[in-house]
Every structure is written in structure tokens, then in C-alpha cells.
Amino acid sequence: MFKKILIANRGEIACRVIKTARRMGIQTVAVYSDADARAPFVQMADEAVHIGPAPAAQSYLIADKIIAAAKQTGAEAVHPGYGFLSERTSFAEALAAEGIAFIGPPVNAIAAMGDKIESKKLAKAAGVNVVPGFVGEIEDTEHAVRISAEIGYPVMMKASAGGGGKGMRLAYNENDVREGFEATKREGLNSFGDDRVFIEKFILNPRHIEIQILGDQHGNILYLNERECSIQRRHQKVVEEAPSPFVTPAMRKAMGEQCVALSRAVGYYSAGTVELIVSGADPTGESFYFLEMNTRLQVEHPVTEAITGIDLVEQMIRVAAGEALSFTQDDVKIEGWAIENRVYAEDPYRGFLPSTGRLSRYNPPVAGWTEDEEANGRRGIDGVRVDDGVYEGGEVSMFYDPMIAKLITWGETRDEAADRQVAALDAFEIEGLGHNIDFVSAIMQHPRFRSGELTTGFIAEEYPDGFHGAPASDDLKVKLAAVAAFVATARADRSRRVEGQLGTPLDPPGAWTVTIDGAVFAVELDEDLLTVNGEEVELELEYTPGDRFVEAEVDGEDLILKLETTRTGFTLTTRGAIHKVACLPTRIHGLTRHMIEKVPPDLSRFLICPMPGLLVSLSVAEGDKVEAGQPLAVIEAMKMENILRAEKSGTVKSVNAKAGESLRVDHIILEME
């Protein structure tokens, strides 16, 4: 077994590998850029080597620097994590030339399956179902238009070397192809150093199901069941679960055996994932097609670990060291259900715009990388696991992926795992930047999610007008009103005790009028009774003015609420939504009708940068006439290009930015007359 390994990655996956290596008694080496000098993975590792500036192209993507660090520290093997150099054949070959083991599959398997175009040709030749499409070289945009018309819309344009949702565009018509083809090429070149693109038919109502593969160097290849990854946004997975609510034992066996056969055809070993696109309209599960094979560890591997009890990172290390798998296909079981939510630095209330900045507060529901040694350690604490690579006071940088953490929950049933997600998300405290906690909580509660009727169009179909918070039931609003009135009473009670007030201290108000999302509630409190609209509510909670979180039991239901004080009440965040709560003594509430409503200014004549990022291109100049919906600029942030369009027709009055500039959020790019 290796004595020392180097992790050629950063963030939570570097922490993940270090955690398992430490348990195995293996020393670890971290490599880090300027931006990651104080990152947790650097602190966790036994040694750390600086490899360059913040941009990945000058640090984590330079193989020579990684290899030099391995030689300098005496590391015998390198684990690449995912992304960066994990699927570069040249990197694996360079390591082999230096006598350093690659903790991953053989070079020929990476070459055969890592290139989407070549892998489809190989799969087709092996008799595996593949999605209809064009897998040759595409000359230019006009050629792409002709190919798309021949295949039939809708089509998907993908960067050949792409992954992680990068370099993908869905086109429903010729205009979409013309607009997106060059952007797909650029994203492929910028993120993966390869601008080749292929086009394939887009399967309507598709489910994204993947099979986890694990093989050794002695010819043993197993499948560790499936994961359902259908809930995606912009082709980036948001929610993953294992097993799939759609897959039957017969489907699982058919998919698994076919994926093993495909892996065997390329001499695969180590961990890998075969991704399948499955027609949700076919309940037999026979309509599944090979999509791609990821020759590396997947982001969502923890859900497989939770239901099987198998540490995939440990198995990768053992396989790389030449050990044979210690279990067979019959030993692979499914115990319970696991769900993973990716907590991203993005603002779902503002169209999921990327959000960068400093984590002024960061408190996950359980500490990252803690586990219950008496149970399956890969399930965290009481079925809640957090895989993260950030820290309070640290910065989420524009240079890397926007994922803050992965929240994994396990339960005996799917509903139990989802309920644990909702409770854990309520207890997850993040401040300083936008995040998607409310959004993924809303998904966990959504009736369609609970039914298991999932497709990759779930988010677009269920949130066509964007996300505005999970809908609150009337029952939940009553409970929030009770909590708000109790907290307001406690604050008023503290205020009356402040010294130096004139006269005799008054009793705190006992009658409150609480307004939540337009609904008005009359709340009465005395020493022994709390009523909302005349109905008794049983409430148990402890609150000290200044507390940011409140844990309450209301009519037998446990609630965790984040609380912020406003001028007229509170902001209560729970169950996937932010609720603006006005809480006034009833005698004062009647006076609010005399308040003048403040109207926000009209900003539609400005093109405002919605996020920190790089202005890639500006397609208009001063004096140009524009139409509503016309593309005006392209902003790159967190490795993704975002097209900014005109809100209304008009003439460009002035331009305040130029291509190549780094812009701050709310920077005015141009103004129209």
C-alpha cells in the first residue's frame, strides 16, 4: 500500500480524499493556488505545495507543476479528484513516465471513454444503444445548422471534452443553433482546452440515470447500483439520489450488466460512471441509451456510499495499489435511501445568478467530515453528512466551481431521507453571498419530487417564471404568526427593562397583528394561552433577543427558523422560503393605512451587470437601435457564459464598459434613451 499520496485538486473533493487516506494511515500532500492558501484542504493535508496563481489554467491545470510537487514530496501516487486533470490522458501518461501511480483508470480507457465523440463511436460498434446524432467534426455554424435540421429539433450541442454541465446548449430551432454554437465552442476551449462540438437528438421527457462502476486490475468489474440525477439546471446536476425511484430490479440488472460489458471492452478498472439517458415515457425501462462515461469519481458518489456502505475513494486507492476487490456482485446491497443536494453560491431569487464573495457566516447542520463510528460512517451523523471545503470568513472565488458544500441525508425510506434534507437545510446557516438552500428545500417538499415523477425538465417545468420561494400552507403561516408574536413579545419585554425610562415600565403588548405574505393574523398572548385568530396554538420555544435561529415546536411540529429583525417585524426563513413578516401591536397596526407606499425606480433603461464577472463581448455601440430581447452582452462568471438581453426597445445612449473588463455586480454596462 502507498505511504504517501498527492491530491491534484482542491475544495471538498481534496478534503474527501484526505479523510479516507488518513483513516487508511496514508500521508497526504495538497497542492494549492494563491486563492486557496488558507483553504481547509491545505490545513488537513500533512504537506502542502504552492503551485501558482488563482486561475486554474495557471495552477491546477498545469500537469508539470503537479508532478514536480509529487517528486518534491516523495508522493508515490496521485488522486486527481474530478474536473481539472482527472480525465486527461496526457496527465496519466506523464505520471507513469515518472513512476508515479495514477489513482484512476488506465490511459486507454480514459482515451476511449473520456472523449464524447470517440466514446459514442466505440459504444455503437459494441452494440450499445446510443442517442441519434452527428459524431464527426463540425466545420462551422452553417454546418451545425444543416446537421441540426437533419437530426430534427430539439438538439443538444455539447463540447466533446465537456463535463459538469459546462459546454452544453439546447437548441429548439435554427436561431438557437446560430446563437449557441460559438458559445459552446468557447466554453469547451476555455474550460477543457478543446473546442470540438458534437450534436445529438434531445430525448424529450428524459430521465438521467447513471450506473456506478468499480473494477480492479485483476479483471473483476462490478456495478454498485444506480443513481438518479434527473433534477438539473442548465445541465448541471442539482439533486442526486440512490437508488432511483424509477428503476426496478430487472432494469437495474439490465443496465448494470450492459455498463459492465462496456467497461470490460475498454479494460476498465478503478471507479467510473456510465451515464444513461432513459425515456421516462417507457415504464419498462428498456429505452435507455448510452450518454457518456466519466472515467473518474463523480461529485454525487456519497449517495452510493450511503446505501452500499462502500468507501469509493478507499477502493480507488486499493485498486491503484494492485489489490483485488474484496467483495463480489452478490455482496453489493441496497440499504435505505440517500439524497444529495448541492449547495451552490448562486441566487435563485435573482434568476440563479452566480454569487461570489466572503462567507461572513458558515454553519452547516453538522460539521463537515464528521461521522458516527457506530453506524455506517458514510452516512454522517444521524443520517446527515456534509462534504465541504470552505470555512467561515473564507471567500467563494470567481475562479472555481460555485459549489459551497454537498448535503447528504440517509433514511430507511425515500420520504425519510427527503424529510431529513428539509430539516438539515433549515439548520444550514450561510451569510455573505447568495445561495440555493431555499430552492433545494422547495424541491425536497415538491409533490412531484415526492411522487418520483422526475425528468431533466423538472426545474424548467415547475419553475417556469423563476423561483420565488416554496409555497407556504395556511397551517404553516399560522405557526409562523405564533412564533413571530412570541418573539416580538420577548423583544418588547427586554425593551421595557432598559434603565433610565420615564415613568413606570409598561407590560409588553399581548395583542399583535401579524401580516405574512399578505395574510393577516390576530395573535393574543397571555401567561397560559396563545391564540391565532381565536384558535389555540401550542408553542414551545426558547428565544433570547439577538438569537439568529429559533427552534420551535408548534402544534407538535418541529420548526427551525432563521430570524432577522426588520423595522416593522422580522424576516423568517424556513421550509424553502423567505417570509417578510410585519408584526405590530394591534393598537398600532390600524395606523399603517396612513403610510405612503414607496415605489421603486425604473431601471429598465440600464443594462446592469447582474454578477461579478468578465465582459466577454459587447454587441452594440452608442447610437445603435436595439429591440426587446436582443442579446447585448456576454458575461463570463464561474466558467459559464451568461447572455444579457435588452429589457425593452430603444437606442443606446452611452456605453460604460468594454470587452475584456472585469465588472462588479450592478455595474452599469450601458444606458438607453
Side-chain angles (χ1 to χ4, degrees):
M1 180 51 64
F2 307 119
K3 291 185 174 60
K4 183 185 291 188
I5 64 173
L6 180 145
I7 298 96
N9 217 297
R10 62 175 300 279
E12 61 87 17
I13 186 57
C15 295
R16 169 73 188 87
V17 177
I18 292 169
K19 180 175 183 291
T20 287
R22 181 183 293 167
R23 182 168 51 79
M24 296 174 69
I26 300 171
Q27 289 190 307
T28 55
V29 179
V31 292
Y32 65 94
S33 70
D34 290 345
D36 286 332
R38 295 182 178 86
F41 75 93
V42 176
Q43 307 301 319
M44 285 177 67
D46 296 298
E47 299 175 66
V49 179
H50 176 253
I51 55 169
Q58 300 174 45
S59 50
Y60 297 107
L61 286 171
I62 299 182
D64 289 346
K65 290 186 176 182
I66 306 291
I67 293 170
K71 292 169 69 176
Q72 172 189 328
T73 56
E76 304 156 86
V78 170
H79 195 299
Y82 43 72
F84 294 143
L85 298 171
S86 62
E87 294 177 284
R88 293 274 183 92
T89 54
S90 58
F91 181 53
E93 289 170 339
L95 287 171
E98 296 291 343
I100 301 170
F102 180 67
I103 303 176
V107 170
N108 65 295
I110 300 173
M113 306 309 289
D115 185 304
K116 288 185 174 64
I117 292 175
E118 294 305 316
S119 67
K120 285 185 179 296
K121 291 179 180 177
L122 189 150
K124 193 171 184 179
V128 178
N129 287 342
V130 297
V131 180
F134 184 86
V135 294
E137 294 291 333
I138 300 176
E139 300 164 6
D140 52 27
T141 301
E142 294 303 322
H143 191 197
V145 168
R146 293 197 301 273
I147 290 168
S148 301
E150 291 170 4
I151 295 172
Y153 293 102
V155 299
M156 180 70 77
M157 296 177 288
K158 294 184 180 180
S160 177
K166 308 295 190 301
M168 301 174 71
R169 287 287 193 284
L170 179 59
Y172 286 95
N173 50 50
E174 178 180 326
N175 187 58
D176 289 347
V177 176
R178 293 186 182 280
E179 191 174 281
F181 180 71
E182 289 299 328
T184 305
K185 289 186 69 173
R186 281 196 302 271
E187 285 185 4
L189 184 63
N190 292 340
S191 295
F192 309 102
D194 186 341
D195 69 352
R196 291 178 302 152
V197 173
F198 71 94
I199 300 177
E200 66 183 11
K201 179 73 174 176
F202 182 71
I203 305 298
L204 295 172
N205 300 322
R207 298 182 81 115
H208 185 123
I209 294 172
E210 58 191 33
I211 301 292
Q212 176 69 59
I213 294 294
L214 182 64
D216 61 26
Q217 299 185 51
H218 304 275
N220 302 304
I221 304 179
L222 313 177
Y223 63 92
L224 307 186
N225 306 313
E226 81 285 350
R227 296 185 288 259
E228 172 98 41
C229 307
S230 295
I231 297 183
Q232 305 176 6
R233 196 186 69 78
R234 292 183 69 172
H235 317 299
Q236 177 81 48
K237 299 166 189 172
V238 177
V239 181
E240 299 103 349
E241 60 181 307
S244 164
F246 182 72
V247 173
T248 64
M251 291 164 60
R252 181 175 299 118
K253 187 172 187 293
M255 291 176 176
E257 290 178 352
Q258 183 168 330
C259 294
V260 166
L262 180 62
S263 302
R264 197 176 298 282
V266 293
Y268 200 89
Y269 57 77
S270 192
T273 297
V274 180
E275 302 201 352
L276 305 170
I277 190 166
V278 183
S279 173
D282 182 2
T284 68
E286 294 177 359
S287 301
F288 64 87
Y289 304 93
F290 170 76
L291 199 59
E292 63 180 321
M293 183 172 189
N294 291 310
T295 56
R296 52 169 170 80
L297 194 65
Q298 292 277 92
V299 175
E300 57 271 23
H301 73 274
V303 292
T304 296
E305 294 183 329
I307 66 165
T308 63
I310 297 169
D311 186 324
L312 285 170
V313 172
E314 177 182 347
Q315 295 304 318
M316 292 180 75
I317 294 171
R318 293 191 180 282
V319 167
E323 294 185 14
L325 296 179
S326 61
F327 49 92
T328 67
Q329 188 67 61
D330 291 339
D331 296 323
V332 178
K333 307 298 183 184
I334 296 178
E335 185 177 348
W337 214 286
I339 300 174
E340 173 180 298
N341 275 304
R342 301 188 187 190
V343 179
Y344 281 125
E346 61 185 13
D347 190 345
Y349 294 101
R350 298 183 65 201
F352 297 93
L353 293 174
S355 181
T356 58
R358 195 165 299 283
L359 287 163
S360 56
R361 293 193 190 278
Y362 178 75
N363 290 306
V366 299
W369 312 109
T370 55
E371 60 185 41
D372 185 347
E373 295 292 349
E374 295 181 2
N376 180 337
R378 283 151 291 285
R379 293 176 188 160
I381 297 291
D382 296 328
V384 180
R385 167 177 166 180
V386 173
D387 287 12
D388 60 13
V390 299
Y391 63 100
E392 187 168 282
E395 188 173 356
V396 175
S397 167
M398 65 180 284
F399 296 106
Y400 311 118
D401 189 89
M403 190 165 66
I404 298 171
K406 300 186 304 196
L407 177 65
I408 304 99
T409 55
W410 178 89
E412 295 285 353
T413 65
R414 187 170 184 265
D415 279 341
E416 185 180 330
D419 288 343
R420 281 184 175 162
Q421 279 283 342
V422 175
L425 288 163
D426 279 346
F428 210 133
E429 184 180 20
I430 297 176
E431 290 184 9
L433 41 72
H435 56 76
N436 68 337
I437 285 176
D438 286 352
F439 179 62
V440 291
S441 177
I443 292 175
M444 294 295 98
Q445 301 169 67
H446 200 289
R448 180 174 163 189
F449 174 80
R450 291 301 180 111
S451 74
E453 297 297 322
L454 311 178
T455 70
T456 56
F458 177 94
I459 290 176
E461 292 159 9
E462 299 302 326
Y463 303 96
D465 301 318
F467 178 71
H468 308 290
S473 66
D474 292 340
D475 180 61
L476 178 59
K477 289 179 182 179
V478 167
K479 292 172 180 175
L480 295 180
V483 171
F486 184 95
V487 170
T489 301
R491 291 172 59 83
D493 185 58
R494 183 190 66 169
S495 296
R496 77 187 181 95
R497 297 174 188 276
V498 176
E499 291 185 6
Q501 299 185 76
L502 296 175
T504 303
L506 300 173
D507 291 332
W512 298 88
T513 298
V514 181
T515 305
I516 303 174
D517 303 332
V520 180
F521 302 90
V523 186
E524 299 275 349
L525 294 94
D526 62 30
E527 291 184 1
D528 302 314
L529 186 67
L530 186 156
T531 63
V532 178
N533 292 343
E535 298 289 330
E536 182 179 355
V537 174
E538 293 185 7
L539 174 67
E540 290 185 21
L541 68 85
E542 290 185 9
Y543 171 75
T544 301
D547 288 351
R548 300 190 306 275
F549 273 81
V550 174
E551 294 187 29
E553 183 180 325
V554 193
D555 285 343
E557 181 181 7
D558 292 329
L559 284 177
I560 302 175
L561 308 98
K562 182 182 178 184
L563 183 149
E564 295 181 34
T565 304
T566 64
R567 186 171 57 85
T568 58
F570 312 99
T571 296
L572 297 179
T573 304
T574 190
R575 299 296 170 90
I578 300 172
H579 300 278
K580 297 186 183 302
V581 181
C583 189
L584 297 171
T586 298
R587 61 187 175 81
I588 294 175
H589 177 263
L591 303 176
T592 58
R593 67 180 183 273
H594 301 296
M595 299 295 291
I596 299 172
E597 184 177 352
K598 187 175 182 180
V599 179
D602 179 15
L603 301 176
S604 61
R605 63 192 176 92
F606 298 105
L607 181 68
I608 299 173
C609 186
M611 73 207 86
L614 179 71
L615 181 58
V616 176
S617 65
L618 188 63
S619 54
V620 294
E622 189 174 318
D624 288 353
K625 294 187 180 298
V626 300
E627 299 296 330
Q630 178 181 334
L632 301 180
V634 176
I635 301 291
E636 181 185 301
M638 289 182 168
K639 302 188 287 186
M640 295 289 284
E641 289 192 356
N642 303 271
I643 300 174
L644 306 186
R645 302 175 185 274
E647 286 192 38
K648 63 182 182 180
S649 301
T651 303
V652 178
K653 178 181 178 181
S654 62
V655 177
N656 304 309
K658 57 186 177 182
E661 273 191 66
S662 291
L663 306 182
R664 67 183 186 281
V665 66
D666 293 335
H667 183 108
I668 295 176
I669 299 172
L670 58 83
E671 179 182 357
M672 293 198 301
E673 294 179 323

